Amino acid sequence: RHNYVTPTSYLELLKTFKELIGREGKTLSTQKNRLLKGLETLRQTEVQVAELRANLERDQPLLIKRKDEIAILVEEIASETEAAEETKTGAVRDEEEETIKTDECTIMFQESEALLAQAKPLLDEALEALALLKPSQFGEVNTYKVYTSGVTMTLEGVCLLLGVRPVMKAINPQMPDKKEPDYTGPAKQQLLSNPNMLLDKMVNYDRENIPEKVIKSIAPLVKSEEFTPVKIRGASAACGAMCSWVHAMYKYHFVVKEVQPLRESLSVAKAELKIVKEKLDIAQAKLRAVEEKLAALNQNKENAEAEMNELESKVKSTEVKLVRASMLIEGLAGEKKNWNQTVQMLTEKEK
């Protein structure tokens, strides 16, 4: 039997053949693209592996260096901590010493004030009596032609305290060669004639430094039963006030004498306290400097540790990625060769 090819059937054959070739070309192109994409992925992976190795080579020395720096910081912090503790111990000791010295000064001051308080009422009373006097009352005493024994004793006491010298005077006309010190004349001339000056001298008298010689000279007057403000005030209010003042100065002298050792000890204690405070200020300043330095070192350590931890995490992550990528490349090394050959073969077929 004969088979005849008609134009129509031939064209159908050509069309079918063309479709088969088109489908085959698409299949080959798809296979080739897949292989090329896989090869590109392998190439990129190889590039990434190279970058990971470069990063690892760069970061590992930095990590070792940072660890060494932290070790040095830890040693320095330990040394500074020890120094800070020593300085703190010294500062605490100085604070305790300052507290002791301050307490000593306070106690001495209180004891001094307590002793002075014993003479204060008498002193205040004498000064208040003087403040109430009028200048005319002194002028009145100056006009007396005859002085009672109480007034004479008062003028003698005031003159002795104020340093007014007496004149030697014969008491008995029948015994002109026997002379005794007389204070009434000098008192009238040098003191009573100027009441304001006399009051000022008595009020502002240096009662802290009365000479022992003066105290001894007025002691017989003060101890006399006739020399009391109450008795003398009956003859003259001004003399009564001056008598109170003489008694006050006499008593105050002995109080000051008793207080003086305390004052001297207080002065020494204050000088020692000043030295201790200066020493404490230096110790506290040194402690602040050490603590500030220690705080800065600890901050640097924390920053370095944070940086080290970040770097260490980065190195570990890089190592893991490098291992996985290397395993992938090594596992596909044979496939890479096959893929390249297949791509060449498919390229030939496409032609």
Side-chain angles (χ1 to χ4, degrees), residues 7-25:
T8 300
S9 61
Y10 185 72
L11 289 173
E12 287 293 330
L13 178 63
L14 290 175
K15 181 180 178 183
T16 301
F17 185 72
K18 183 178 179 182
E19 288 177 354
L20 289 171
I21 290 175
R23 284 198 295 270
E24 184 66 19

Side-chain angles (χ1 to χ4, degrees), residues 150 153-154 157 221-222 224-229 231-232 243 246-247:
M153 293 170 71
T154 299
L221 293 173
V222 174
S224 173
E225 294 181 357
E226 298 300 319
F227 189 68
T228 64
K231 289 183 177 180
I232 295 175
C243 177
V246 173
H247 275 278

Side-chain angles (χ1 to χ4, degrees), residues 44-67:
Q44 291 178 358
T45 302
E46 289 172 350
V47 171
Q48 289 177 355
V49 167
E51 290 178 352
L52 288 171
R53 282 176 179 161
N55 291 339
L56 199 58
E57 290 176 358
R58 180 197 65 203
D59 292 340
Q60 280 181 329
L62 290 176
L63 181 59
I64 294 171
K65 180 182 177 183
R66 184 57 67 192
K67 285 182 177 179

Side-chain angles (χ1 to χ4, degrees), residues 10 16 20 28 32 36 61 91 125 170 194 198 258 285 309 317 320 325:
Y10 185 72
T16 301
L20 289 171
L28 293 175
K32 180 182 175 181
L36 288 173
E125 183 182 350
N194 192 338
L198 175 58
E258 189 176 355
N309 291 334
S317 176
V320 172

Side-chain angles (χ1 to χ4, degrees), residues 34-272:
R34 286 176 179 172
L35 291 172
L36 288 173
K37 187 176 181 181
L39 289 170
E40 178 61 22
T41 301
L42 283 175
R43 187 191 67 79
Q44 291 178 358
T45 302
E46 289 172 350
V47 171
Q48 289 177 355
V49 167
E51 290 178 352
L52 288 171
R53 282 176 179 161
N55 291 339
L56 199 58
E57 290 176 358
R58 180 197 65 203
D59 292 340
Q60 280 181 329
L62 290 176
L63 181 59
I64 294 171
K65 180 182 177 183
R66 184 57 67 192
K67 285 182 177 179
D68 292 340
E69 290 175 350
I70 290 174
I72 293 171
L73 276 173
V74 169
E75 290 180 2
E76 189 173 357
I77 287 171
S79 175
E80 290 297 329
T81 301
E82 185 178 353
E85 287 300 321
E86 291 178 0
T87 305
K88 186 176 181 179
T89 301
V92 170
R93 185 172 56 250
D94 290 340
E95 284 180 359
E96 291 174 351
E97 188 177 354
E98 183 202 24
T99 301
I100 292 171
K101 284 295 178 185
T102 302
D103 291 343
E104 286 179 3
C105 290
T106 302
I107 291 170
M108 290 179 188
F109 178 76
Q110 290 174 347
E111 289 178 355
S112 300
E113 289 298 304
L115 288 173
L116 290 173
Q118 297 176 11
K120 194 172 185 303
L122 186 61
L123 178 63
D124 290 343
E125 183 182 350
L127 293 177
E128 184 179 353
L130 289 175
L132 294 174
L133 291 177
K134 297 178 181 179
S136 61
Q137 291 175 292
F138 287 99
E140 181 182 325
V141 177
N142 203 19
T143 61
Y144 291 169
K145 293 182 179 180
V146 178
Y147 292 126
T148 63
S149 61
V151 172
T152 302
M153 293 170 71
T154 299
L155 294 178
E156 180 181 351
V158 172
C159 286
L160 287 170
L161 283 168
L162 296 182
V164 177
R165 292 178 177 276
V167 294
M168 301 306 293
K169 186 177 179 182
I171 303 301
N172 189 344
Q174 296 178 357
M175 302 174 66
D177 294 334
K178 186 179 180 181
K179 297 181 179 180
E180 295 181 3
D182 177 47
Y183 289 92
T184 55
K188 291 175 68 174
Q189 294 174 1
Q190 300 179 40
L191 299 177
L192 297 174
S193 61
N194 192 338
N196 291 326
M197 179 197 69
L198 175 58
L199 279 171
D200 183 68
K201 282 186 175 184
M202 294 173 72
V203 171
N204 298 306
Y205 185 69
D206 185 12
R207 50 185 172 271
E208 300 285 339
N209 300 290
I210 303 175
E212 199 66 34
K213 181 180 178 181
V214 173
I215 292 299
K216 288 180 179 179
S217 65
I218 65 172
L221 293 173
V222 174
K223 294 176 181 178
S224 173
E225 294 181 357
E226 298 300 319
F227 189 68
T228 64
V230 175
K231 289 183 177 180
I232 295 175
R233 196 177 295 121
S236 167
C239 288
M242 287 189 285
C243 177
S244 295
W245 179 76
V246 173
H247 275 278
M249 295 303 104
Y250 182 81
K251 183 174 181 179
Y252 193 82
H253 167 79
F254 289 100
V255 173
V256 169
K257 192 174 180 180
E258 189 176 355
V259 169
Q260 191 59 32
L262 282 173
R263 286 180 171 176
E264 291 173 357
S265 298
L266 180 59
S267 178
V268 172
K270 283 183 176 179
E272 292 175 350

